[in-house]
């Protein structure tokens, strides 16, 4: 609940003060592990939507589901723009700045197109927290144009402030509505030492914000005069 947000921010401030000296993202050191969270598969994620969820999507609302532990979830959102406009937003990592709340910097340091047409990109992300603190981490993502799907993990060859992070984007065209598409987002992250209730609420808020910014900017790009 947003009613808990002041408590969360106080807890986050205390966490920052306690662990700031141990945060030491590094391009010269490997991460202490090669992944503790289960990575997403690049491709279709089977999600059965109920009739009420379909109605909510048609009304422009977001549908969100959290797992039992509230450590990860999935957000689904219909966008009033063709799929290529949503994909253009999702695949432009450096363009996230100014759109994704709290994200202060994204800089690509590796980009390679594979023989199968997929594109591997690695980038440095910096997120502002509170009281001047920030998290720096390194993301390795794989985008498959054929599947209209992007997945990511940490780049485990570099040491991130996040303990782990995995995620998934997919965009489906809606054949009966060519000027619309459906966006799927799911992610999970671990930060050592952060209280679980803080992580739960941050995960929930990140899900809510995820598809919202894609919807807003894809629709604006498709119809620049749209009022949002």
């Amino acid at each position: 609940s947003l009613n808990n947000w002041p408590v969360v921010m106080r807890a986050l401030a205390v966490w920052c003060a306690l662990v700031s000296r141990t945060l030491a993202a590094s391009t010269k050191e490997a991460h202490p592990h090669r992944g503790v969270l289960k990575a997403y598969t690049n491709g279709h994620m089977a999600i059965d939507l109920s009739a009420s969820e379909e109605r909510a999507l048609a009304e422009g609302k977001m549908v969100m589901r959290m797992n039992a532990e509230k450590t990860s979830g999935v957000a689904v959102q219909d966008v009033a723009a063709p799929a290529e406009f949503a994909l253009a937003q999702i695949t432009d990592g450096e363009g996230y700045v100014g759109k994704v709340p709290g994200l202060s910097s994204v800089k690509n340091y590796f980009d390679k197109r594979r023989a199968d047409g997929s594109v591997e990109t690695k980038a440095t992300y910096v997120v502002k927290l509170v009281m001047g603190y920030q998290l720096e981490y390194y993301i390795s993502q794989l985008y498959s144009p054929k599947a209209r799907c992007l997945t990511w993990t940490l780049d485990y060859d570099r040491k991130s402030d996040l303990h782990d992070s995995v995620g998934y984007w997919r965009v489906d065209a809606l054949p009966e509505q060519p000027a619309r598409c459906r966006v799927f987002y799911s992610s999970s992250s671990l930060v050592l030492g952060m209280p679980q209730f803080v992580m739960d609420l941050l995960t929930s808020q990140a899900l809510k914000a995820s598809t919202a910014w894609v919807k807003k900017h894809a629709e604006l790009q498709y119809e620049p005069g749209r009022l949002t």
Side-chain angles (χ1 to χ4, degrees):
S1 163
L2 287 177
N3 293 331
N4 294 327
W5 198 246
V7 177
V8 169
M9 296 311 291
R10 287 197 295 271
L12 187 56
V14 171
W15 176 84
C16 288
L18 290 174
V19 307
S20 60
R21 294 181 181 180
T22 68
L23 296 178
S26 173
T27 61
K28 298 180 180 179
E29 296 180 54
H31 207 59
H33 59 75
R34 303 299 292 182
V36 295
L37 293 171
K38 183 178 179 180
Y40 291 83
T41 301
N42 201 296
H44 182 73
M45 177 191 290
I47 300 175
D48 293 325
L49 297 169
S50 67
S52 61
E53 288 174 325
E54 289 282 4
R55 286 194 297 272
L57 291 170
E59 294 169 358
K61 299 175 182 177
M62 185 198 72
V63 170
M64 185 176 75
R65 297 179 183 175
M66 298 290 294
N67 66 3
E69 296 77 21
K70 296 186 179 180
T71 54
S72 67
V74 60
V76 186
Q77 177 85 65
D78 279 7
V79 175
E84 59 266 28
F85 287 86
L87 286 168
Q89 296 296 324
I90 291 166
T91 57
D92 179 20
E94 292 186 341
Y96 286 12
V97 179
K99 301 174 184 176
V100 178
L103 186 62
S104 61
S105 175
V106 179
K107 297 292 183 184
N108 294 343
Y109 57 86
F110 179 85
D111 191 84
K112 180 182 179 181
R113 182 173 293 276
R114 297 181 175 181
D116 62 1
S118 61
V119 179
E120 181 182 8
T121 304
K122 298 181 181 182
T124 304
Y125 282 67
V126 179
V127 174
K128 289 183 180 179
L129 298 175
V130 294
M131 299 170 57
Y133 294 108
Q134 64 182 33
L135 288 176
E136 182 172 328
Y137 54 97
Y138 307 99
I139 291 293
S140 176
Q141 68 180 43
L142 183 65
Y143 169 56
S144 171
K146 293 179 181 178
R148 299 184 304 278
C149 181
L150 183 151
T151 56
W152 80 82
T153 66
L154 290 183
D155 176 1
Y156 300 110
D157 292 330
R158 297 187 174 197
K159 185 179 179 183
S160 291
D161 288 335
L162 292 180
H163 188 54
D164 206 3
S165 182
V166 296
Y168 174 96
W169 287 103
R170 190 180 89 242
V171 179
D172 284 357
L174 299 177
E176 297 180 359
Q177 303 178 72
R180 297 176 66 87
C181 65
R182 182 162 293 173
V183 176
F184 299 81
Y185 172 85
S186 185
S187 70
S188 183
S189 295
L190 292 175
V191 183
L192 290 181
M194 186 172 287
Q196 188 60 50
F197 81 96
V198 176
M199 282 301 303
D200 292 348
L201 191 53
L202 290 176
T203 298
S204 174
Q205 293 304 308
L207 278 174
K208 291 177 181 178
S210 60
T211 56
W213 74 263
V214 172
K215 175 179 173 64
K216 174 183 176 180
H217 292 282
E219 291 177 352
L220 281 173
Q221 184 184 20
Y222 180 53
E223 296 183 31
R226 176 186 292 270
L227 296 177
T228 58

